[in-house]
Amino acid sequence: MQTSKIRLDKFLVHIGYGSRSEVQKIIKQKRVTVNSQIISKPEHSFVINDSNVYVDGKEAVYSEFYYYILNKPQGVITATEDNRHQTVLDLLDPIDKRKSLAPVGRLDKDTEGLLILTNDGKLTHELLSPKKHVNKVYYAKLSGQVTPDDVLKFATGIELSDGTKYRPAKLEIIRASDTSEVFVTISEGKFHQVKRMALSIGKEVIYLKRIKMGNLLLPEDLQLGAYRSLTSQELKKLKGEE
Ligand code: URA
């Protein structure tokens, strides 16, 4: 239970109404009410749990942590800011695009699929920590015919000629022909890992999509480029509590 007081401008910045100066302007324009009173002083302090805040008649709901799941499209980079490229943060509505949000891990520019964005640093650390071995599942289209021998190589643990060593990984063949379709499960998140593992068995990744992180599946109805808040059940799955 949050009983300490917070300044109105800080509260609105946290929720996503803009920078400190932007929200101060909104407050001075008398567009904000706290417990039905118009408040025009940015420094006005109140207890979050005892208060209802409205901006332009719409409730400003506070959470300490925000968790979003995004179906990342190709062509967008996994960064928070970039001068040249569109970033995953740019896909969020302005109200959700908080400075505190960061992507959990990286997907390459040409990789699609499940990406979590959150301001919960502890969870981010737990999901990315090399010690935790959180499974990530990818669907991939590869050049060439994947063989049972390739499956064995992945299961044994691949070592590249530059000395990079990967933990044992699961390669499941969906279809193997001139090109192949596979699921790859890895428990690390090294640079270009799936692509480099595929190259080590003489195949190139033609298409890559992350479909699962921990126990959390990419929802089938989440369109490419779309995002939404995680449900509490999905959050439990991500945390490995379910
Ligand atoms: N492996 C890769 O090669 N690229 C990604 O984006 C994710 C995993």
Side-chain angles (χ1 to χ4, degrees):
M1 187 65 111
Q2 188 113 20
T3 51
S4 58
K5 287 188 164 186
I6 188 167
R7 279 173 63 123
L8 182 56
D9 52 2
K10 194 170 173 206
F11 174 91
L12 292 177
V13 169
H14 177 83
I15 295 180
Y17 281 91
S19 64
R20 184 66 77 101
S21 62
E22 283 163 347
V23 304
Q24 288 183 348
K25 204 161 144 195
I26 295 174
I27 297 166
K28 285 179 183 157
Q29 287 168 339
K30 299 193 166 45
R31 289 159 59 192
V32 184
T33 62
V34 179
N35 295 335
S36 310
Q37 302 278 320
I38 293 175
I39 303 294
S40 54
K41 290 204 167 74
E43 65 275 17
H44 175 82
S45 296
F46 58 95
V47 176
I48 294 172
N49 285 317
D50 293 346
S51 311
N52 296 310
V53 180
Y54 283 77
V55 178
D56 296 332
K58 194 168 166 276
E59 188 166 13
V61 183
Y62 181 94
S63 327
E64 185 177 5
F65 296 121
Y66 297 91
Y67 305 92
Y68 297 108
I69 180 166
L70 167 73
N71 187 354
K72 180 192 167 300
Q74 293 184 6
V76 175
I77 62 166
T78 310
T80 51
E81 274 179 322
D82 194 89
N83 291 334
R84 288 185 304 135
H85 300 102
Q86 192 183 25
T87 72
V88 288
L89 262 289
D90 293 332
L91 296 173
L92 304 190
D93 292 339
I95 183 82
D96 295 328
K97 196 177 165 183
R98 301 178 186 85
K99 284 236 165 1
S100 57
L101 287 179
V104 178
R106 283 199 53 202
L107 291 178
D108 296 337
K109 192 174 168 197
D110 57 358
T111 301
E112 294 179 355
L114 189 162
L115 189 71
I116 302 296
L117 300 163
T118 184
N119 59 342
D120 183 344
K122 185 164 169 273
L123 179 65
T124 301
H125 176 75
E126 275 168 16
L127 290 170
L128 298 182
S129 164
K131 291 187 195 130
K132 302 274 172 167
H133 308 310
V134 173
N135 278 343
K136 271 87 55 180
V137 184
Y138 293 84
Y139 164 81
K141 276 191 196 146
L142 306 182
S143 65
Q145 185 159 9
V146 174
T147 64
D149 188 46
D150 296 333
V151 174
L152 196 65
K153 284 184 181 147
F154 270 55
T156 311
I158 284 170
E159 180 167 355
L160 305 182
S161 52
D162 70 359
T164 306
K165 279 190 191 147
Y166 298 116
R167 289 170 50 79
K170 192 158 138 195
L171 178 62
E172 293 166 272
I173 302 175
I174 305 167
R175 183 184 61 80
S177 182
D178 295 349
T179 61
S180 303
E181 287 175 68
V182 295
F183 291 122
V184 183
T185 305
I186 57 175
S187 57
E188 307 154 289
K190 292 187 176 158
F191 184 64
H192 293 333
Q193 184 163 345
V194 175
K195 290 174 184 163
R196 297 184 83 198
M197 288 172 82
L199 277 181
S200 79
I201 53 162
K203 320 286 190 287
E204 250 181 74
V205 169
I206 305 167
Y207 173 82
L208 191 60
K209 178 172 194 135
R210 182 155 67 193
I211 56 168
K212 197 172 180 190
M213 188 165 195
N215 293 329
L216 179 68
L217 265 174
L218 179 68
E220 275 180 19
D221 59 357
L222 192 65
Q223 305 295 313
L224 263 184
Y227 75 98
R228 61 167 172 74
S229 293
L230 282 182
T231 64
S232 48
Q233 205 197 0
E234 286 172 330
L235 184 58
K236 280 189 183 155
K237 286 193 170 156
L238 187 63
K239 289 181 173 174
E241 295 168 357
E242 229 176 62

